[in-house]
Amino acid sequence: MGHHWIVEIFGLEFNMNTLIAMWSAMLFLLVLAFLGTRKISIFPSKLQLILEKILGYFDNLVGGMIHEGGRKHFPLIASLFLFIVTANLMGQLPLKMIELKHGEIASPTNDINLTAGLAIIVLVYYVVAGLIKKKHKFLLHEISFVGIISMLVEILELVTRPLTLALRLFGNILAGEILITALLGLVAWGLPLPIMFFEILVACVQALVFTMLTTVYIATAVNEQH
């Protein structure tokens, strides 16, 4: 991997590679949303059609997994997927071959700080959603010794869920970028291309896995047990 561009502000170190790539991904999505919704028509443009297909898929996913009020969770689910897939692809495309004075062009999701931040957002979201929906019964199903033990086990599970989300996304993206960088160091042309195409697939799959698991966690938190 290349060198990271580290900047110290008020005694704290910031990885500017991650920050700039993250802001670039968000800016790209804002521009894409503007272009896709600027002239909405019953005869959609190619961009509008693509966006409608993607958003329609997640609308159906959320509606099918969350029994009641699933639509209100749709913005988070769709936003997570669009941001993660964009961030993942930033380091998998031929941009990786561009050398910068400071650091490198890489996926912001190859930084555990970003993936952990996304996982914490998911954790806070589904815990709050569960508490709003089920009140104290979200954690404590019955006031008894067994109920208290079950609550402690469930709290442990709540903590480990986002940890696995963060590590899975971070590990897969970082491993792919290390492999591509190593191949570029051996043979600059030709050999890395098949791996790049494979990593593009991995980037999309990992974004989908993160999003679908988030949907499952939210559904588990808010669906009534029968």
Side-chain angles (χ1 to χ4, degrees):
M1 300 294 289
H3 298 290
H4 291 293
W5 179 16
I6 304 298
V7 174
E8 184 173 335
I9 303 177
F10 299 117
L12 300 175
E13 292 186 345
F14 293 88
N15 185 344
M16 295 305 295
N17 301 73
T18 299
L19 290 176
I20 292 175
M22 179 183 67
W23 293 333
S24 299
M26 291 189 291
L27 179 61
F28 171 79
L29 290 175
L30 288 174
V31 173
L32 188 68
F34 171 76
L35 295 176
T37 59
R38 185 177 52 160
K39 295 180 180 180
I40 297 179
S41 171
I42 59 174
F43 302 104
S45 63
K46 291 182 180 180
L47 178 58
Q48 181 184 335
L49 184 62
I50 292 172
L51 292 177
E52 285 179 355
K53 292 293 184 182
I54 294 174
L55 297 181
Y57 171 81
F58 286 103
D59 186 41
N60 294 332
L61 175 69
V62 173
M65 297 186 66
I66 302 177
H67 300 156
E68 184 180 343
R71 181 62 66 85
K72 65 183 178 183
H73 305 293
F74 167 76
L76 173 71
I77 302 299
S79 298
L80 273 176
F81 174 78
L82 291 173
F83 173 74
I84 293 173
V85 74
T86 302
N88 288 353
L89 290 172
M90 291 185 69
Q92 310 301 339
L93 298 175
L95 294 174
K96 191 73 178 174
M97 301 177 68
I98 301 175
E99 295 185 3
L100 302 178
K101 182 179 180 181
H102 297 286
E104 61 181 352
I105 299 176
S107 303
T109 43
N110 77 357
D111 189 333
I112 188 63
N113 295 292
L114 177 61
T115 60
L118 292 173
I120 290 172
I121 291 173
V122 171
L123 170 65
V124 173
Y125 185 91
Y126 72 71
V127 167
V128 171
L131 290 173
I132 292 175
K133 180 72 175 182
K134 301 178 180 177
K135 306 297 189 294
H136 67 280
K137 291 184 178 180
F138 173 62
L139 293 175
L140 184 60
H141 303 294
E142 58 177 82
I143 302 177
S144 65
F145 177 75
V146 175
I148 293 175
I149 295 299
S150 298
M151 180 184 69
L152 296 176
V153 172
E154 193 159 341
I155 290 175
L156 179 62
E157 186 179 1
L158 290 176
V159 174
T160 55
R161 282 176 179 174
L163 178 63
T164 58
L165 281 178
L167 291 177
R168 181 186 294 107
L169 179 59
F170 160 73
N172 280 280
I173 299 304
L174 181 63
E177 293 199 353
I178 291 176
L179 179 58
I180 292 173
T181 302
L183 291 175
L184 285 173
L186 294 174
V187 181
W189 300 102
L191 181 60
L193 288 179
I195 303 300
M196 284 184 173
F197 286 122
F198 175 74
E199 288 302 323
I200 289 173
L201 177 61
V202 170
C204 296
V205 169
Q206 287 304 314
L208 186 60
V209 168
F210 191 104
T211 307
M212 292 190 71
L213 287 176
T214 298
T215 308
V216 171
Y217 297 156
I218 295 173
T220 303
V222 301
N223 285 346
E224 296 292 342
Q225 301 294 327
H226 298 288

